[in-house]
Amino acid sequence: MTDRCSGSKEPTPCCGGSDPSPFDGTFETRFIDRWIDTPAGRVARVTTRLDWRDAAGRWKMRWGIGRGSWRVAPGLYCVGEAGPGSPVLVTANCKMSFDALRRELDGVDAWILVLDTAGVNVWCAAGKGTFGTGELVRRVRAARLERLVSHRRLVLPQLGAPGVAAHRVREECGFTVTYGPVRAKDVLRFMENGMKAEPGMRAVTFTAMERLSLAPVELVGSLKPLAWASAALFLLGGIGPGIFSPGNAWHRGAGAVAVCVAGILGGAALTPLLLPWLPGRAFSAKGALVGAVVAGAFLAADGTSTGAIPGVATTLAVSGISSFVAMNFTGATPFTSPSGVEKEMRRAIPLQAASAVLAAALWIGEAFIR
């Protein structure tokens, strides 16, 4: 297919339906090179080079800053001189997923079909159903792919498989589904191999760096609850025999906030880092174990004679918080299933709540028996 540049960048939606225009400020657009005319309408051609702004956006996403806005317009895009024989690669409209794919297509002629997953990555969106059969069929029809390509094959990321019923896609829009590799970096070799995956392309890894890359967003997500908890702890810290003591509020409140921070760090950073070596299968149990060790280190570093009651309260609080935060990783690993996550939550949350209540009762009560 000849690339006929339209020569303009006017506010026209991506080929694919009635979504908001990518130029109305709703979506990222810097990666659009120009628009081309096709038998199915005008399609945005994208660049394959990422710049510092893409890297900065990725960093912000990792830290949970503006996650909802870091997405691209759903619809059809092209790379290079895409034509009738070019492959159709499907991804989510999460900007990180989209960038990971287009970066690997330098020098390749291809179509990219972006599904509306509300800015969520492929794996999570497949679990939620937004990267699913209905959305895929709708995008194929809206993009009028049958007018653009001579083949009838869609290449989906392997991690999108839980959300897509391949037989229904073929029945409803006439396109067959081929599952590509787990990682975008393997997609070029996958296509060079005749759309056949090598064994390593199917393996889902969860290395130390991959685990730690999830920690920042968990830490940032804990800031708001921590702020509210800190205000409550400073107020409760002043309660004692004299009804309320500002000095005690500051001293005991600061100590309680430090305990909370220790629990969050234990669950959000140490637990994922040590995950393969921690005993048991439940993330809540792994987090509780790490929390108990962190509590011991916290008490040892305190350097004062804490006594039995504060020691027990600290251990319960740090273990409970660490257990709860660590449980957030159940949806981000290849170790769990949705049913397993629900089962663990039903068992763990009551215990975590009881741990927090008992720790608070011991902490408040200790002020009256000094």
Side-chain angles (χ1 to χ4, degrees):
M1 182 180 295
T2 303
D3 180 349
R4 298 189 296 276
C5 177
S6 66
S8 66
K9 286 188 174 182
E10 61 188 54
T12 305
C14 288
C15 181
S18 58
D19 297 297
S21 165
F23 295 99
D24 68 358
T26 304
F27 302 104
E28 287 291 326
T29 62
R30 292 190 309 270
F31 52 81
I32 295 178
D33 177 35
R34 61 183 186 239
W35 291 80
I36 64 170
D37 295 319
T38 76
R42 302 178 70 226
V43 177
R45 193 173 91 162
V46 304
T47 62
T48 56
R49 301 292 177 88
L50 275 59
D51 59 23
W52 67 269
R53 292 170 296 186
D54 296 310
R58 182 182 179 86
W59 181 88
K60 288 170 61 179
M61 280 280 288
R62 287 297 186 193
W63 284 91
I65 302 172
R67 296 181 73 192
S69 61
W70 196 238
R71 55 198 177 111
V72 303
L76 187 67
Y77 298 85
C78 74
V79 178
E81 305 291 331
S86 300
V88 180
L89 307 172
V90 183
T91 189
N93 77 323
C94 169
K95 181 66 161 48
M96 289 177 66
S97 300
F98 183 76
D99 283 351
L101 178 59
R102 69 183 175 98
R103 179 179 56 196
E104 302 300 328
L105 298 179
D106 189 33
V108 176
D109 301 326
W111 304 99
I112 300 178
L113 185 64
V114 177
L115 306 189
D116 186 358
T117 61
V120 177
N121 66 74
V122 172
W123 193 6
C124 294
K128 294 179 178 180
T130 51
F131 191 99
T133 303
E135 170 64 6
L136 178 58
V137 170
R138 188 170 78 86
R139 290 294 163 189
V140 168
R141 290 174 174 171
R144 292 177 285 185
L145 274 180
E146 73 282 355
R147 299 188 182 185
L148 290 178
V149 295
S150 56
H151 60 85
R152 291 296 180 267
R153 171 184 277 180
L154 304 171
V155 180
L156 274 65
Q158 180 180 311
L159 294 181
V164 177
H167 68 282
R168 283 186 50 203
V169 175
R170 184 169 185 174
E171 292 170 358
E172 296 183 28
C173 67
F175 279 77
T176 61
V177 170
T178 297
Y179 290 107
V182 169
R183 292 167 292 275
K185 68 178 183 179
D186 293 326
V187 72
L188 184 58
R189 193 163 78 251
F190 171 80
M191 292 190 293
E192 291 173 347
N193 289 345
M195 301 294 181
K196 294 182 179 179
E198 299 171 4
M201 296 181 185
R202 298 297 188 201
V204 179
T205 61
F206 201 43
T207 64
M209 289 305 299
E210 289 171 336
R211 297 194 299 273
L212 282 180
S213 68
L214 302 173
V217 70
E218 294 296 334
L219 292 172
V220 171
S222 301
L223 291 179
K224 186 175 181 179
L226 179 62
W228 285 105
S230 298
L233 290 171
F234 275 106
L235 289 174
L236 292 174
I239 297 175
I243 300 180
F244 188 84
S245 168
N248 285 344
W250 174 256
H251 177 71
R252 301 185 73 238
V257 171
V259 166
C260 291
V261 171
I264 291 170
L265 290 175
L270 291 179
T271 300
L273 178 62
L274 302 173
L275 191 65
W277 302 284
L278 295 172
R281 293 180 59 86
F283 279 63
S284 54
K286 292 174 183 287
L289 176 60
V290 170
V293 174
V294 170
F298 182 88
L299 292 170
D302 186 44
T304 61
S305 178
T306 55
I309 293 178
V312 172
T314 297
T315 302
L316 287 171
V318 177
S319 297
I321 294 170
S322 179
S323 175
F324 181 79
V325 174
M327 205 165 55
N328 290 339
F329 287 90
T330 55
T333 77
F335 299 169
T336 57
S337 65
S339 59
V341 171
E342 292 178 2
K343 183 178 180 180
E344 179 178 350
M345 290 178 66
R346 286 196 299 268
R347 291 179 174 179
I349 289 179
L351 295 175
Q352 293 160 353
S355 176
V357 170
L358 182 56
L362 290 172
W363 176 64
I364 295 173
E366 191 266 342
F368 290 90
I369 59 177
R370 282 184 174 181

